Amino acid sequence: MKKEFEFINWLRSQKINNPINLIAGIGDDAAIFSSPSNKEILISTDLLSEDIHFKLDFTPPDLLGHKALAVNLSDIAAMGGQANFFLLSIARPKTLPDSFLTELLRGMLELADTYQVTLIGGDTSASVDKLFLNITILGDSFLGKAVKRSGAKVGDEIYITGQLGASALGLELLLQGKRITNNDLTDIEKQALLAHLKPQPRLEFGKTLAIENLASSMIDISDGLSSDLGHICEESGVGATVSLSSLPVFPSATINQALNGGEDYELLFTIPSENNTKLNILSKLFPDLSITKIGIITSDLDRWLIDGKRKTPLLAKGYDHFA
Ligand code: ADP
Ligand code: MG
């Protein structure tokens, strides 16, 4: 097995892009970068714990590397920001082979390259028996342009990108024993497995919404629509009604998976209704991404699901680590 310094030297030898505002990356006690005065810094972190967030028996290492970075990029997307740099901390069980780490980094750096984000440091430790991955992501947005959870106003329309429930369906299939390497998967099964194992952050769309000043609030779907809409409503001091028939449910996913499954990493956002023509025009720039209106922000502080004439409470039933 590689020694810690050999691992770090190996990391430094990988193809890592080198933007002009990076003054010192991996190799010093701290990284240094400069940042333009018309921008604000965004910073966020996510921890992935083995057997809580992923299981090694069904997670290929390159896809784990991809996902660890993707979920962090998704947080920057949800602010409408531009992602720039990240730090990676790894606690590695002694039994994990070098080849696993090499593959993990390959998948991660491939995604980093796609979005031109740069690995600028991290920390490396041993762990007794589980793998832990932590990424801290740094991004920026123009002054005052970042989109918070707290800006939704009564009458705003609620939208979602993509489809819901694919990731939860993918997890269910993995737990049933399906693997991404199986060659008898249906198209739907394959898409669901990839939605879970290889989520795509909506960075470009989020950034465009923010630059065009269209969204009043935004969040990414990590816990599940019911919980994440709850976060917007609570932070904004408003309520919401969601129409069941308009929900973009992934084919063969259940309503429960779509509402509460989580890990779709789609963007949930609100816009003042006068912006909907502009949103329509903007959505044409993203022909591969569906954008669906699912409801409306209300003054009644509760959240409701409307199904024809039936109205049921939309309770936050997404993932809770401490539940
Ligand atoms: P220190 O003793 O100051 O923590 P380290 O020996 O841990 O320094 O790290 C040396 C350099 O390698 C630092 O620049 C650090 O940011 C970087 N580094 C360490 N582990 C990782 C990692 N897992 N990913 C990226 N960079 C790392
Ligand atoms: Mg260290």
Side-chain angles (χ1 to χ4, degrees), residues 1-154:
M1 178 174 344
K2 277 201 186 75
K3 294 204 168 68
E4 182 188 337
F5 80 91
E6 286 170 343
F7 171 67
I8 293 169
N9 279 340
W10 172 81
L11 258 184
R12 292 180 78 174
S13 73
Q14 296 306 293
K15 180 183 166 277
I16 293 179
N17 52 46
N18 188 16
I20 43 169
N21 60 334
L22 181 63
I23 298 156
I26 297 174
D28 216 314
D29 294 307
I32 313 171
F33 63 86
S34 63
S35 153
S37 59
N38 61 343
K39 293 210 163 168
E40 289 167 336
I41 306 281
L42 307 172
I43 179 165
S44 179
T45 194
D46 259 304
L47 173 66
L48 265 68
S49 311
E50 181 184 342
D51 290 345
I52 304 287
H53 297 93
F54 61 90
K55 294 202 187 290
L56 288 184
D57 71 335
F58 61 58
T59 314
D62 56 325
L63 299 189
L64 180 59
H66 171 106
K67 185 164 178 176
L69 180 57
V71 303
N72 280 275
L73 293 174
S74 181
D75 283 322
I76 298 294
M79 302 302 288
Q82 155 87 39
N84 300 320
F85 301 113
F86 67 107
L87 297 130
L88 165 66
S89 294
I90 303 177
R92 169 198 195 171
K94 299 232 163 12
T95 49
L96 198 76
D98 284 347
S99 59
F100 189 97
L101 278 193
T102 313
E103 276 298 286
L104 185 143
L105 260 301
R106 191 177 61 74
M108 187 177 287
L109 293 178
E110 200 177 288
L111 181 65
D113 194 47
T114 305
Y115 289 104
Q116 293 291 295
V117 287
T118 307
L119 179 60
I120 58 170
D123 203 15
T124 305
S125 157
S127 135
V128 176
D129 67 348
K130 301 286 177 208
L131 172 63
F132 298 90
L133 294 171
N134 171 246
I135 287 181
T136 298
I137 187 110
L138 290 143
D140 60 27
S141 62
F142 289 103
L143 292 178
K145 292 270 189 176
V147 185
K148 300 198 221 125
R149 296 177 178 184
S150 55
K153 299 273 184 303
V154 176

Side-chain angles (χ1 to χ4, degrees), residues 36-296:
S37 59
N38 61 343
K39 293 210 163 168
E40 289 167 336
I41 306 281
L42 307 172
I43 179 165
S44 179
T45 194
D46 259 304
L47 173 66
L48 265 68
S49 311
E50 181 184 342
D51 290 345
I52 304 287
H53 297 93
F54 61 90
K55 294 202 187 290
L56 288 184
D57 71 335
F58 61 58
T59 314
D62 56 325
L63 299 189
L64 180 59
H66 171 106
K67 185 164 178 176
L69 180 57
V71 303
N72 280 275
L73 293 174
S74 181
D75 283 322
I76 298 294
M79 302 302 288
Q82 155 87 39
N84 300 320
F85 301 113
F86 67 107
L87 297 130
L88 165 66
S89 294
I90 303 177
R92 169 198 195 171
K94 299 232 163 12
T95 49
L96 198 76
D98 284 347
S99 59
F100 189 97
L101 278 193
T102 313
E103 276 298 286
L104 185 143
L105 260 301
R106 191 177 61 74
M108 187 177 287
L109 293 178
E110 200 177 288
L111 181 65
D113 194 47
T114 305
Y115 289 104
Q116 293 291 295
V117 287
T118 307
L119 179 60
I120 58 170
D123 203 15
T124 305
S125 157
S127 135
V128 176
D129 67 348
K130 301 286 177 208
L131 172 63
F132 298 90
L133 294 171
N134 171 246
I135 287 181
T136 298
I137 187 110
L138 290 143
D140 60 27
S141 62
F142 289 103
L143 292 178
K145 292 270 189 176
V147 185
K148 300 198 221 125
R149 296 177 178 184
S150 55
K153 299 273 184 303
V154 176
D156 284 359
E157 299 175 353
I158 308 170
Y159 285 83
I160 186 97
T161 60
Q163 293 179 315
L164 295 171
S167 177
L169 174 63
L171 176 60
E172 184 184 293
L173 295 172
L174 287 164
L175 293 170
Q176 286 167 5
K178 303 253 169 180
R179 294 293 176 265
I180 193 68
T181 43
N182 293 161
N183 42 29
D184 58 350
L185 297 172
T186 66
D187 272 357
I188 292 292
E189 287 173 334
K190 187 157 188 211
Q191 281 178 46
L193 291 178
L194 282 176
H196 187 76
L197 295 169
K198 199 181 183 189
Q200 301 298 330
R202 304 301 188 192
L203 272 165
E204 281 310 314
F205 183 75
K207 191 168 78 178
T208 311
L209 273 183
I211 289 173
E212 298 296 327
N213 271 325
L214 292 186
S216 49
S217 70
M218 184 151 60
I219 192 169
D220 63 324
I221 302 289
S222 52
D223 297 334
L225 176 70
S226 62
S227 294
D228 292 318
L229 179 59
H231 296 317
I232 284 195
C233 289
E234 271 152 31
E235 293 302 314
S236 300
V238 294
T241 58
V242 168
S243 139
L244 188 63
S245 62
S246 59
L247 276 190
V249 181
F250 181 78
S252 50
T254 64
I255 299 291
N256 180 46
Q257 284 169 330
L259 288 175
N260 310 312
E263 292 207 276
D264 285 308
Y265 299 103
E266 296 296 348
L267 294 178
L268 174 69
F269 59 98
T270 58
I271 65 162
S273 57
E274 63 265 26
N275 286 354
N276 68 18
T277 320
K278 277 196 201 148
L279 179 66
N280 246 317
I281 296 168
L282 182 145
S283 67
K284 303 220 166 27
L285 300 174
F286 297 86
D288 299 329
L289 187 63
S290 63
I291 294 148
T292 312
K293 182 180 166 191
I294 60 166
I296 195 134

